[in-house]
Amino acid sequence: MTDVHATLSSAQLRDVELALAGANGGCARLRLRDVEMVQGETIVLHDAEGTDVAQLRADDVAVVAPHPAEVAQIGAGTAPDLPGETLVSGAVSARRSLGHRDRTDLRVTAGFARVPLAMLITGTVPEPEDAGWDDADPVIVLDRDDTSALASAIARVEAAGRRVVVMPSPSDPASARDIAEQLVADRVDVWETAIPASPGCAILLTGLSGSGKSTISKLLVERLAETDERTTTLLDGDEVRLILSKGLGFSREDRMLNVQRIGWVASLIARHGGIAVCAPIAPYEAMRREMRERVEQHGRLLLVHVSTPLSVCAERDRKGLYAKAAAGEIAEFTGISDPYQIPSDADLTIDASVVAPGDAVTQILEAMRP
């Protein structure tokens, strides 16, 4: 029987690492995308870089609907339910060493020598002179896949003369203490400290071709350069296709992959404290939802629906694409022969047929404020 392969998100990778260390009886429960399997097959789990890290012997498999089936849409046809999700739970076993993880010398692993008492710090580790912790030893710090933050936390604990243990932060923060008591100490005292918010963010402008996304996004980048100290990167749909997505067509699968690539780059920008301004059509709710989930692992995503009516977009079309699509000369053209699903979770909606580009940018900047 062939193996089934699945790519883990950062949070899922942490949960798998905890299972490999013995948490929850060595079991993990994961929502995996685009997984179709037969009972008894082995699911090979790998990280975003393609490194196989573990395998899961599934004992329970259930398909979970990716989103409500009925959504408002413009255009003909039915959008694909992409990506699908499968809820899988079962025993996890190591496939390869997790030696690529930060500070493997300090990480809790299977066979860790338990201690009577430990301190778990949930967020930022105070400066040594402000620590004030009791005699609990070791001090557990959580790894949230931020190399810089983890290094700073370790340095502060060690500067206070304490032993430090690194534990992956579980996807359910409320379970951290329970897992620490399973893996590290008989009793774990918790010191609640603030988790610093990532300063990075992504702004996704979605809408029909000709809706005004590119005009607004370019002006937005100019305004951000004048008003925001963070580095801003524009990921315009047409420009991305020239390099990042060169060779992709306009089938549903290729458009999905194009937006996935934009979301991946945007998440990297957000992770490193920058601002990504993205302006693809992104017609399907499933692809926008995946991008939100990817970005929000590291920062904030602001979803802006540029809701310019189809009739106005067609009037603006200098290339005549809408007319060709209506005549059947272009297949799967969004808004005509292929649907555009109207966002149900937009943070901001702007009709660029009545709102000037400069005013639209002002609205976006206002929505960006905490």
Side-chain angles (χ1 to χ4, degrees):
M1 192 172 288
T2 60
D3 291 340
V4 177
H5 290 260
T7 301
L8 299 174
S9 68
S10 296
Q12 289 173 328
L13 182 59
R14 297 196 300 270
D15 283 342
V16 165
E17 184 180 351
L18 289 170
L20 292 175
N24 303 317
C27 291
R29 190 170 177 84
L30 306 168
R31 252 183 232 281
L32 303 175
R33 298 192 182 283
D34 298 323
V35 170
E36 295 182 6
M37 63 172 296
V38 177
Q39 188 75 23
E41 286 183 329
T42 296
I43 305 175
V44 177
L45 306 171
H46 53 84
D47 61 18
E49 297 177 354
T51 302
D52 294 350
V53 295
Q55 62 187 29
L56 188 148
R57 298 183 301 277
D59 51 31
D60 290 305
V61 178
V63 176
V64 180
H67 217 57
E70 306 232 349
V71 296
Q73 69 178 45
I74 296 170
T78 303
D81 288 332
L82 294 173
E85 291 184 345
T86 302
L87 188 63
V88 181
S89 64
V92 174
S93 59
R95 182 87 172 191
R96 291 185 184 175
S97 170
L98 284 165
H100 62 296
R101 305 291 278 163
D102 290 333
R103 295 306 303 266
T104 55
D105 57 318
L106 300 177
R107 300 180 86 85
V108 61
T109 58
F112 183 87
R114 294 173 57 83
V115 297
L117 176 64
M119 169 71 72
L120 170 65
I121 300 181
T122 61
T124 302
V125 175
E127 294 287 356
E129 59 269 21
D130 300 324
W133 44 52
D134 57 22
D135 293 330
D137 189 71
V139 174
I140 305 167
V141 297
L142 297 177
D143 178 13
R144 295 184 174 84
D145 299 308
D146 186 329
T147 297
S148 177
L150 179 61
S152 175
I154 292 171
R156 290 183 176 184
V157 173
E158 291 180 338
R162 297 302 181 93
R163 175 189 172 203
V164 61
V165 170
V166 175
M167 189 179 87
S169 178
S171 57
D172 176 13
S175 68
R177 180 176 187 167
D178 176 64
I179 291 175
E181 290 185 339
Q182 293 178 44
L183 301 179
V184 180
D186 298 330
R187 193 187 94 201
V188 174
D189 292 338
V190 178
W191 189 355
E192 297 279 355
T193 61
I195 300 172
S198 168
C201 72
I203 304 164
L204 172 60
L205 292 92
T206 173
L208 297 169
S209 176
S211 61
K213 301 184 304 299
S214 293
T215 300
I216 294 171
S217 62
K218 290 175 183 177
L219 184 57
L220 175 60
V221 169
E222 292 177 5
R223 290 274 294 277
L224 285 169
E226 298 170 355
T227 61
D228 200 298
E229 62 183 13
R230 292 172 290 183
T231 300
T232 302
T233 302
L234 175 61
L235 300 173
D236 184 71
D238 291 337
E239 294 180 358
V240 165
R241 280 188 169 271
L242 293 176
I243 300 177
L244 186 64
S245 294
K246 186 176 182 180
L248 291 183
F250 291 89
S251 67
R252 293 178 177 183
E253 293 76 14
D254 282 358
R255 281 181 286 173
M256 184 70 193
L257 182 56
N258 179 54
V259 174
Q260 284 178 325
R261 290 176 178 178
I262 292 172
W264 178 74
V265 174
S267 70
L268 290 180
I269 293 169
R271 179 175 184 175
H272 294 287
I275 302 174
V277 178
C278 314
I281 293 174
Y284 308 139
E285 190 149 350
M287 62 171 54
R288 297 187 297 259
R289 184 166 65 101
E290 178 180 332
M291 183 171 174
R292 181 185 289 280
E293 291 173 354
R294 189 183 296 274
V295 169
E296 288 184 346
Q297 293 182 42
H298 307 294
R300 179 188 179 193
L301 184 132
L302 183 75
L303 177 58
V304 180
H305 177 209
V306 184
S307 62
T308 307
L310 175 63
S311 59
V312 176
C313 294
E315 290 174 3
R316 292 176 173 178
D317 182 20
R318 293 173 294 180
K319 298 179 181 179
L321 298 177
Y322 279 97
K324 290 180 181 179
E329 298 176 25
I330 301 177
E332 296 183 323
F333 188 83
T334 301
I336 302 296
S337 51
D338 202 68
Y340 176 85
Q341 295 183 326
I342 298 173
S344 61
D345 60 342
D347 299 291
L348 182 64
T349 299
I350 298 172
D351 182 349
S353 68
V354 296
V355 178
D359 293 334
V361 168
T362 298
Q363 290 186 31
I364 295 171
L365 293 175
E366 287 289 333
M368 287 179 63
R369 294 181 178 177

